[in-house]
């Protein structure tokens, strides 16, 4: 992870500004977060977040306080007992470790001054939080072991021990001769692996960065010919670290997603990647992990809804296959009627007990084998065939309707899956779950409830775009929005939808005036972009005035019909000159 020993040192240097701050409140949530709500002289109230959640491990300041649990945990009560009203005396990083140590001075029940220490170990899945007394006896920890642990014992009353030492060297204490000697001993291995295995406090990211700065490639092998260049880059970084010359750096990819963060500029990535300095290490961590958390939540919500949709699709496809098989059987209904007619016209030849007879069909001018039920009279056998004919004819009508409904159901599920793939916020996913609940596909009660007081949240609004001409286009984010958008527009506004693919409804608001050709083109491109055909070339988009768009009675959300329309062929991308209005 990017949070290495040197990054811990940079964070500790920044947090030394908290020395003298008073702890006003302590919060601890079930998400492995500890919050110290501080009053910092000369600055005001700040919140120090110490997270030991493996996917969100960090130590950072923020201006926001997370909602407190209604019933505090036992660990929270322990922290409040020892840390409430205490003042931070010092903040430091343990040498070459991903551990931040906070020393606080407080008072016991009798008013005597006492020292407490907090150790925040930011080590990925091994992250932990310790509360210790002045002699480093553990008072409590978020993750504990028992007395039988073979390596590091963590329980109340045990002495605090640093993680097991690694057989590596202190990078800041290394000199040129020892470094070059190590290169000779490890000649042939990649430069980043050399740094990572031989020196403390390096993460894979910073090891690759030093190797790239020195050799132009992070995985270039080390040998005598490039040892000097590697030492120069290595020493330059170490001298900056010793001087406290840290630069909070955030790396973003070509798609704008946050990729890495570090205490030094990141140059090893290729074109399209941007390294941006941040105002502080706290802002850097908060931004990175907020984006990561949002992406993780999006994946989780998307996976949950996709699982529901996959189950609904499997059931519908199974039902549709059975219906099509039954419909194929109905193709024999004319044969049933012909058998009845043959039996009726030859009643005089037949007698009860016959099971198979050969009769002449004057229509086809050939003899036909007819199967009979020997238990029935010839006339009853004819009636049996006529009943099978009537049943098959009725079934054909019903099955044709049911198959059309099932096919529309599959189209609807595809449209919801397309909306899931483009949903960007927790509220978008909640509205999609609510839509599925209203459609009878998902019966989860969470679809219509909010975690906040006051019940159901206000529905989100469609995406709004301003065209080059200044006209407005709105695009629905789910089928409920599509219906509200389409049938809430004026009859003279223009409706757009991609042809042959699931996608959003887009409405160009004309104000009663005729749009320009560019307005039509840009609106069609927006409709194509917000569909399953996004990114395609020569995508067909139907458009028509809203007055020609109808919704059949009982149709699923988002399903409409129209018969008077034009078709545009566009690229499914965001048009140049069109901007989205942010709410």
């Amino acid at each position: 992870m990017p949070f290495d020993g040197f990054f811990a040192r940079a964070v500790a240097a920044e947090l030394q500004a908290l020395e003298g701050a008073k702890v006003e409140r302590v919060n601890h949530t079930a998400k492995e977060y500890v919050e110290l709500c501080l009053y910092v002289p000369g600055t005001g109230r700040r919140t120090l977040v110490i997270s030991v959640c493996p996917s969100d491990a960090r130590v950072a300041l923020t201006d926001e306080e997370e909602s407190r649990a209604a019933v505090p945990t036992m660990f929270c009560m322990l922290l409040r007992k020892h840390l409430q009203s205490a003042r931070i005396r010092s903040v430091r990083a343990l040498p070459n470790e991903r551990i931040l140590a906070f020393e606080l001075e407080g008072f016991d029940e009798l008013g005597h001054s006492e020292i407490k220490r907090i150790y925040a170990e930011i080590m990925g899945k091994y992250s932990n939080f310790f509360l210790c007394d002045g002699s480093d006896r553990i008072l409590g920890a978020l993750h504990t072991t028992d007395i039988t642990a073979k390596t590091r014992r963590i329980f109340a009353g045990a002495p605090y021990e640093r993680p097991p030492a690694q057989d590596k060297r202190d990078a800041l204490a290394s000199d040129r001769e020892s470094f070059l000697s190590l290169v000779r001993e490890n000649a042939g291995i990649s430069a980043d692996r050399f740094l990572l295995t031989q020196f403390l406090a390096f993460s894979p990211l910073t090891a690759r960065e030093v190797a790239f700065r020195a050799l132009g490639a992070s995985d270039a092998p080390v040998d005598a010919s490039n040892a000097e260049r590697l030492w120069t880059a290595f020493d330059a970084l170490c001298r900056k670290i010793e001087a406290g010359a840290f630069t909070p750096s955030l790396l973003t990819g070509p798609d704008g997603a946050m990729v890495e963060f570090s205490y030094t500029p990141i140059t090893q990535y290729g074109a399209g990647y941007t390294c941006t300095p941040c105002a502080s290490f706290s802002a850097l961590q908060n931004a990175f992990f907020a984006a990561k958390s949002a992406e993780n939540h999006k994946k989780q919500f998307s996976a949950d809804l996709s699982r529901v949709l996959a189950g609904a699709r499997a059931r519908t496809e199974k039902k549709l296959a059975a219906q099509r098989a039954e419909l194929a059987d109905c193709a024999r209904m004319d044969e049933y009627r012909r058998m009845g007619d043959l039996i009726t016209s030859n009643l005089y030849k037949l007698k009860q007990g016959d099971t198979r007879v050969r009769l002449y069909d004057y229509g086809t001018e050939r003899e036909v084998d007819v199967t009979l039920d020997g238990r029935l009279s010839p006339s009853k056998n004819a009636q049996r065939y006529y009943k099978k004919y009537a049943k098959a004819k009725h079934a054909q009508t019903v099955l044709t309707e049911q198959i059309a409904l099932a096919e529309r159901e599959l189209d609807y599920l595809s449209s919801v899956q397309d909306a899931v793939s483009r949903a960007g916020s927790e509220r978008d996913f909640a509205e999609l779950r609510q839509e599925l609940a209203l459609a009878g596909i998902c019966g989860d009660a969470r679809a219509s409830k909010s975690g906040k007081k006051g019940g159901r949240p206000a529905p989100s609004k469609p995406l709004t775009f301003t065209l080059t001409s200044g006209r407005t286009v709105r695009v629905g984010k789910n089928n409920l929005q599509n219906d509200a958008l389409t049938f809430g527009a004026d009859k003279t506004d223009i409706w757009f939808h991609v042809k042959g693919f699931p996608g959003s409804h887009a409405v160009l608001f004309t104000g009663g005036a005729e749009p320009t050709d560019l307005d039509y083109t840009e609106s069609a491109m927006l409709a194509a972009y917000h569909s399953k055909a996004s990114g395609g070339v020569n995508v067909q988009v139907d458009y028509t005035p809203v007055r020609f768009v109808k919704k059949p009675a009982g149709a699923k959300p988002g399903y409409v019909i129209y018969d008077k329309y034009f078709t545009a062929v566009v690229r499914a991308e965001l048009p140049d000159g069109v901007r989205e209005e942010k709410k």
Side-chain angles (χ1 to χ4, degrees):
M1 62 181 298
F3 200 116
D4 57 20
F6 294 144
F7 193 90
R9 182 173 177 145
V11 172
E14 178 176 288
L15 295 182
Q16 285 172 359
L18 297 179
E19 293 175 359
K22 180 181 178 181
V23 180
E24 293 188 329
R25 285 188 309 281
V26 179
N27 298 330
H28 170 237
T29 71
K31 295 184 293 185
E32 299 177 301
Y33 281 66
V34 173
E35 290 184 346
L36 301 182
C37 302
L38 309 173
Y39 178 79
V40 185
T43 302
R45 288 176 171 79
R46 304 293 303 277
T47 300
L48 178 66
V49 176
I50 302 175
S51 168
V52 296
C53 180
S55 63
D56 186 16
R58 72 186 193 275
V59 180
L61 280 173
T62 179
D63 293 325
E64 299 177 1
E65 179 182 354
E66 202 169 281
S67 57
R68 285 174 279 177
V71 180
T73 63
M74 294 297 293
F75 189 67
C76 180
M77 297 301 290
L78 177 69
L79 295 177
R80 290 177 179 176
K81 174 184 175 182
H82 291 283
L83 301 181
Q84 202 101 342
S85 299
R87 290 187 180 274
I88 298 177
R89 290 181 56 179
S90 66
V91 183
R92 62 190 177 92
L94 300 190
N96 297 313
E97 296 284 2
R98 292 173 287 174
I99 303 173
L100 274 74
F102 297 81
E103 185 170 283
L104 300 94
E105 181 179 13
F107 300 92
D108 61 15
E109 293 85 347
L110 300 177
H112 299 147
S113 175
E114 59 180 1
I115 299 298
K116 296 291 186 300
R117 292 193 179 96
I118 293 173
Y119 292 98
E121 299 182 350
I122 310 301
M123 299 187 295
K125 65 180 180 179
Y126 301 107
S127 299
N128 207 347
F129 179 97
F130 295 83
L131 173 66
C132 302
D133 62 16
S135 58
D136 274 348
R137 287 280 173 183
I138 298 175
L139 299 175
L142 268 179
H143 303 301
T144 60
T145 64
D146 54 40
I147 199 170
T148 63
K150 294 182 179 180
T151 54
R152 194 181 182 204
R153 291 178 290 182
I154 303 171
F155 55 87
Y160 173 76
E161 299 174 354
R162 291 174 60 169
Q166 295 177 298
D167 185 20
K168 297 182 183 181
R169 297 159 180 79
D170 185 350
L172 301 183
S174 299
D175 57 40
R176 178 176 175 276
E177 293 306 320
S178 63
F179 185 90
L180 297 179
S181 176
L182 281 173
V183 171
R184 288 192 292 272
E185 293 174 9
N186 295 274
I189 71 170
S190 63
D192 61 330
R193 180 167 177 77
F194 167 73
L195 296 174
L196 197 59
T197 57
Q198 296 298 321
F199 297 99
L200 293 165
F202 271 91
S203 68
L205 174 67
T206 49
R208 294 196 307 269
E209 182 62 29
V210 172
F212 180 81
R213 293 178 183 179
L215 310 177
S218 60
D219 57 352
V222 295
D223 53 36
S225 65
N226 57 26
E228 193 68 44
R229 283 183 289 157
L230 186 61
W231 159 254
T232 300
F234 173 85
D235 185 58
L237 180 67
C238 291
R239 299 292 78 79
K240 282 189 174 183
I241 292 170
E242 284 185 323
F246 301 111
T247 305
S249 301
L250 179 63
L251 183 75
T252 54
D255 58 353
M258 299 180 185
V259 180
E260 299 279 11
F261 63 86
S262 184
Y263 55 87
T264 185
I266 307 169
T267 61
Q268 63 191 269
Y269 288 79
Y273 289 84
T274 305
C275 186
T276 307
C278 293
S280 67
F281 285 101
S282 291
L284 171 66
Q285 294 178 86
N286 291 335
F288 182 85
F289 286 109
K292 185 177 180 181
S293 177
E295 184 63 25
N296 288 339
H297 284 151
K298 179 179 178 180
K299 288 180 180 178
Q300 179 183 349
F301 294 139
S302 178
D304 289 345
L305 287 176
S306 295
R307 187 163 49 250
V308 170
L309 291 169
R313 175 174 287 276
R315 292 191 299 272
T316 304
E317 288 176 343
K318 182 178 179 180
K319 179 176 69 174
L320 185 59
Q323 290 171 342
R324 285 173 172 162
E326 287 186 52
L327 184 61
D329 290 339
C330 293
R332 299 184 62 193
M333 64 180 181
D334 289 334
E335 181 184 348
Y336 297 147
R337 185 185 63 180
R338 189 159 58 93
M339 293 299 107
D341 291 344
L342 283 173
I343 295 171
T344 301
S345 61
N346 291 277
L347 284 175
Y348 67 95
K349 295 181 181 180
L350 307 177
K351 62 181 182 298
Q352 187 167 347
D354 290 338
T355 58
R356 189 176 185 85
V357 295
R358 183 179 288 270
L359 302 175
Y360 187 80
D361 185 357
Y362 289 93
T364 60
E365 296 183 348
R366 61 187 178 87
E367 290 186 330
V368 178
D369 289 331
V370 180
T371 302
L372 302 174
D373 187 341
R375 297 167 300 174
L376 303 177
S377 66
S379 61
K380 290 289 182 68
N381 271 290
Q383 291 176 15
R384 182 169 68 91
Y385 274 110
Y386 286 137
K387 285 180 180 178
K388 290 177 72 173
Y389 164 74
K391 182 178 178 181
K393 184 176 181 181
H394 176 70
Q396 184 182 51
T397 303
V398 173
L399 286 170
T400 301
E401 295 175 354
Q402 292 300 314
I403 288 172
L405 289 174
E407 289 174 342
R408 285 205 294 269
E409 178 82 3
L410 290 177
D411 290 341
Y412 171 71
L413 294 174
S414 296
S415 71
V416 178
Q417 184 62 63
D418 175 63
V420 168
S421 69
R422 291 183 283 107
S425 68
E426 185 173 347
R427 185 162 65 169
D428 291 342
F429 287 107
E431 290 181 354
L432 286 168
R433 184 175 285 276
Q434 180 183 354
E435 177 186 331
L436 291 177
L438 294 174
I441 296 171
C442 170
D444 195 335
R446 291 176 297 173
S448 60
K449 294 183 179 180
S450 168
K452 300 178 181 180
K453 294 181 179 179
R456 185 179 301 178
S460 62
K461 296 182 179 180
L463 301 172
T464 302
F465 296 88
T466 300
L467 304 183
T468 304
S469 65
R471 285 194 169 91
T472 297
V473 171
R474 292 194 175 93
V475 179
K477 293 187 287 185
N478 54 58
N479 287 308
L480 294 178
Q481 277 192 9
N482 287 337
D483 282 349
L485 175 64
T486 299
F487 299 107
D490 189 81
K491 299 299 182 184
T492 59
D493 295 332
I494 310 299
W495 178 87
F496 293 80
H497 192 278
V498 68
K499 190 183 192 75
F501 293 95
S504 296
H505 295 197
V507 175
L508 169 62
F509 291 85
T510 64
E514 177 61 27
T516 65
D517 291 346
L518 182 59
D519 289 336
Y520 281 108
T521 300
E522 291 177 341
S523 301
M525 290 175 70
L526 287 171
Y529 178 75
H530 293 91
S531 74
K532 195 172 183 179
S534 180
V537 181
N538 296 332
V539 176
Q540 294 184 340
V541 178
D542 292 341
Y543 62 96
T544 184
V546 169
R547 66 175 175 271
F548 295 130
V549 181
K550 310 297 180 184
K551 188 173 187 66
K556 292 284 188 184
Y559 181 79
V560 297
I561 56 175
Y562 52 96
D563 55 4
K564 298 179 181 179
Y565 61 93
F566 299 93
T567 301
V569 179
V570 296
R571 296 178 65 91
E573 61 184 24
L574 286 174
D576 296 333
V578 173
R579 67 179 189 277
E580 182 180 356
E581 300 298 328
K582 301 294 183 181
K583 299 178 179 60

